[in-house]
Amino acid sequence: MTWQVLNPYDQKCIGSVDLVDWSKIDRWLDEARTLHEDRQAWIPVHERIAILQRASSLMHERAESLAMQIAREGGKPLVDARAETSRAVQSVELCVHELFASGGRQIPMELTEAGAGRTAYTFREPIGPVVAISAFNHPLNLIAHQVGPAVATGCPVLVKPAKDTPLSCKSFVEILYEAGLDERWCRFVPCTDDVAEQMVTDPRTAFFSFIGSAKVGWMLRSRLAPGTRVALEHGGAAPVIVDENIPRENVIPSLLKGGFYHSGQVCVSVQRVFVPRAELPDFAAALAAGAKALKVGDPTNEETQCGPLIRPAEVDRIEAWVAAAVESGAELAAGGKRIGPTLYHPTVLIDPPRAAKVSREEVFGPVVCLYGYDSIDAAISQANELPYSFQAAVFTERQHIADYCVERLSGSTVLVNDHTAFRVDWMPFAGRRHSGLGTGGIGYTMSDMSPEKMVITRSSSGLD
C-alpha cells in the first residue's frame, strides 16, 4: 500500500510513500528496545552532537528546496514555508545547545539529621524507545521538535508523519542518515491508523509524542501500556481581549497575522476576539478590510499570503460552520465563501452565537470571530468558558488591565500586545485542560525524554 501525496492547491499528485506494515514495525520496536537496553550500543554524546550539527548544515544548504516541498505538500505560503524551514534548522541547533547546557544537579542532603553524611547528585538517561505521531500543518519543524530531541538524548525513535504531508518528514529522516545517524536509531513509519495505534500502545514504547487532534490524542493516551510516558499537543479556540480606546493600527495587523497565518491551520490561531461593544462596528470594519486585502491562492507564488486548506473536506466543514453561524444571527463582515475545492476566503464574523460551532470548537481555518463586550470581566468569563486552554492574548495600553487579564485568562501563556500564534522554539509551549498534556519546546521535550537518575552516596566516615 502507498500514500499518494496531493498538492492541496491543485489536487495533483506530487509523490508517494510506501506504507509500513506491522510485521516490520514489530521488528523495529524489538530493535529499538535492544538498542536502549544495550548500553554499549548507545551513541556517545559527542557523536550525537556531530550528527545534529551536520544535519543542521545540510538543512541550511537545502533550505529553499525544503521550503518549496512544505509549500507544495502542505499548502503553506512560500514566505511562511521559508520561515518554517529556518525554524527547523534552528530547532536542530537548539538540540545541540541543550546538550551543552543540560546535565544533572546536586541535591542537598544535610538539611535534616537523617540526610547527614550523604551527598547526592543526578544525571540524565534516555527514557527508551520513542514513538512520535505528527501533524500536517508544520510538516518539517514539528518533526524536528519530536525527532531532534530523541536523537539528542539518545532515544531510538519511530516517527509517523501526517498522511497529507509525509515528504518533509522523509526528507528530515534521510538528512539524519546522511549526517551519520545509523538507521536503527530513527525509523520513518508511514502506516495506517490501526497499525499506528498498535505501535503507540505497545509496551515496548517508552515515550509517546503526539501532535494532532484532541479526540485522537486523548483516546490513544487512554490505551497506553502501563509505564509509557506521554506528551500531547492539541489545539484550542484562542481568545484575544482588546481593551477600550487602543489604536486599531496597533492591533489589526497582528490579528490578521495571528488569525490567517497558514489560513488559520495553527493550533493557537486567533479565533475569538473580544472588543468593547461601542467600538465593535469600526473595529470589525477595519479587520474585515484587512482580511479582504489578503492575497489568497497558489502557495508557491511569492505574493500569496493565504494558501489552501489541507483537503477539500475541510473547506466543506468550515463552509457549513460559517453558514450555520450566519443563519443563527452572526453578521458576516468578510469572506464566508469558498473560492475553489480547497481555497476559502479569509472570514470575519461578528457576534456569532455562543452555541455556534465557530464559537465553541476549534475552527482550524481562516475564520476570526468578533464579540462585543460590556465589561472586561464578562469578556474574560466568555474567553474562559471553553474546555480548551492554550495561548491567550490581551491588547492594551494600560498596565493594570494587562496585569488583570494575565492573572485571570485561562492559558499556559498570555501574550500582551501580540497575537496568540506567536512562538519561538525554545519557549515552553503547553496546552492545558483538553488542549494537551506536558510541555513542548526543544529543551522541555529533551527533559521529558531523558529523566533524571539520582545517586546518593554515604560517606565512609558515616558507616557503622
Side-chain angles (χ1 to χ4, degrees):
M1 291 179 61
T2 62
W3 280 343
Q4 298 296 313
V5 183
L6 304 181
N7 182 325
Y9 174 68
D10 57 19
Q11 295 294 286
K12 292 181 180 178
C13 182
I14 59 172
S16 64
V17 296
D18 294 329
L19 299 191
V20 181
D21 61 20
W22 172 249
S23 63
K24 181 174 286 188
I25 293 172
D26 186 36
R27 292 197 302 273
W28 286 349
L29 283 171
D30 262 343
E31 176 185 78
R33 180 174 60 182
T34 299
L35 283 173
H36 176 66
E37 291 177 348
D38 180 7
R39 288 174 176 263
Q40 298 303 311
W42 288 9
I43 305 173
V45 177
H46 67 88
E47 290 185 18
R48 287 181 243 151
I49 288 172
I51 289 167
L52 291 166
Q53 288 174 329
R54 287 192 291 267
S56 172
S57 179
L58 289 168
M59 293 170 71
H60 181 74
E61 292 171 7
R62 301 169 192 176
E64 187 63 19
S65 63
L66 289 170
M68 184 61 72
Q69 184 169 254
I70 291 168
R72 293 183 69 225
E73 74 171 340
K76 181 175 288 185
L78 189 56
V79 63
D80 296 321
R82 288 179 179 136
E84 178 180 342
T85 301
S86 295
R87 286 181 59 189
V89 172
Q90 187 176 64
S91 292
V92 175
E93 294 170 350
L94 282 168
C95 291
V96 174
H97 172 78
E98 288 293 332
L99 282 174
F100 278 101
S102 64
R105 56 199 172 98
Q106 182 178 355
I107 310 296
M109 298 301 290
E110 296 196 357
L111 303 178
T112 66
E113 183 179 351
R118 293 167 176 82
T119 59
Y121 65 91
T122 69
F123 63 95
R124 292 190 173 276
E125 288 188 330
I127 195 170
V130 171
V131 170
I133 294 182
S134 205
F136 76 85
N137 55 333
H138 306 293
L140 182 61
N141 196 37
L142 292 182
I143 296 296
H145 269 256
Q146 294 172 289
V147 174
V151 173
T153 55
C155 294
V157 56
L158 290 78
V159 55
K160 176 190 178 293
K163 181 177 181 180
D164 297 293
T165 55
L167 302 180
S168 293
C169 177
K170 186 171 186 286
S171 293
F172 183 73
V173 172
E174 289 173 346
I175 284 172
L176 288 174
Y177 295 162
E178 189 176 345
L181 184 68
D182 188 312
E183 293 185 14
R184 295 175 301 163
W185 287 91
C186 181
R187 295 295 190 180
F188 174 66
V189 191
C191 60
T192 59
D193 290 345
D194 58 327
V195 172
E197 181 177 342
Q198 194 171 356
M199 175 173 61
V200 167
T201 57
D202 191 280
R204 290 167 290 186
T205 297
F207 189 87
F208 172 44
S209 170
F210 180 82
I211 303 174
S213 77
K215 179 180 179 181
V216 174
W218 290 111
M219 178 276 290
L220 290 173
R221 186 227 182 191
S222 72
R223 300 180 184 179
L224 293 179
T228 301
R229 301 307 192 249
V230 62
L232 306 177
E233 183 182 310
H234 305 317
V240 177
I241 307 290
V242 179
D243 192 14
E244 61 186 23
N245 298 321
I246 185 169
R248 285 192 293 277
E249 60 269 21
N250 295 350
V251 183
I252 297 297
S254 186
L255 294 185
L256 289 170
K257 181 64 176 178
F260 300 116
Y261 163 66
H262 199 10
S263 294
Q265 296 170 116
V266 180
C267 62
V268 285
S269 179
V270 170
Q271 182 172 325
R272 299 177 297 143
V273 182
F274 301 90
V275 182
R277 193 169 303 280
E279 300 176 26
L280 183 58
D282 289 343
F283 189 95
L287 186 64
K292 291 173 184 177
L294 293 172
K295 293 179 171 60
V296 183
D298 185 345
T300 63
N301 289 343
E302 296 280 354
E303 66 274 10
T304 297
Q305 295 168 288
C306 294
L309 274 73
I310 192 63
R311 63 187 78 89
E314 295 305 302
V315 181
D316 295 340
R317 176 184 60 81
I318 291 169
E319 187 175 48
W321 285 19
V322 170
V326 172
E327 289 172 6
S328 299
E331 180 183 344
L332 184 64
K337 58 183 178 180
R338 68 196 307 156
I339 304 171
T342 55
L343 291 176
Y344 195 81
H345 275 292
T347 296
V348 177
L349 293 172
I350 304 173
D351 274 330
R354 289 165 77 158
K357 285 189 174 181
V358 295
S359 296
R360 301 204 65 80
E361 299 184 29
E362 182 180 28
V363 174
F364 219 65
V367 178
V368 174
C369 301
L370 301 180
Y371 307 85
Y373 71 81
D374 298 311
S375 73
I376 199 80
D377 285 322
I380 292 171
S381 176
Q382 187 174 345
N384 289 345
E385 71 183 6
L386 302 186
Y388 313 108
S389 178
F390 212 142
Q391 298 201 157
V394 55
F395 285 84
T396 181
E397 294 183 323
R398 300 187 291 175
Q399 186 61 47
H400 74 281
I401 293 295
D403 294 342
Y404 193 81
C405 290
V406 164
E407 182 179 324
R408 286 163 176 78
L409 278 171
S410 175
S412 58
T413 300
V414 178
L415 296 104
V416 179
N417 295 328
D418 206 347
H419 62 74
T420 58
F422 173 82
R423 183 187 185 184
V424 291
D425 298 286
W426 55 88
M427 75 185 216
F429 192 68
R432 295 178 179 175
R433 300 165 69 186
H434 289 198
S435 292
L437 180 67
T439 302
I442 294 296
Y444 300 89
T445 299
M446 287 177 63
S447 180
D448 281 347
M449 293 181 179
S450 57
E452 288 183 309
K453 176 183 281 187
M454 185 165 68
V455 179
I456 303 175
T457 301
R458 188 178 179 187
S459 66
S460 57
S461 61
L463 296 175
D464 293 334

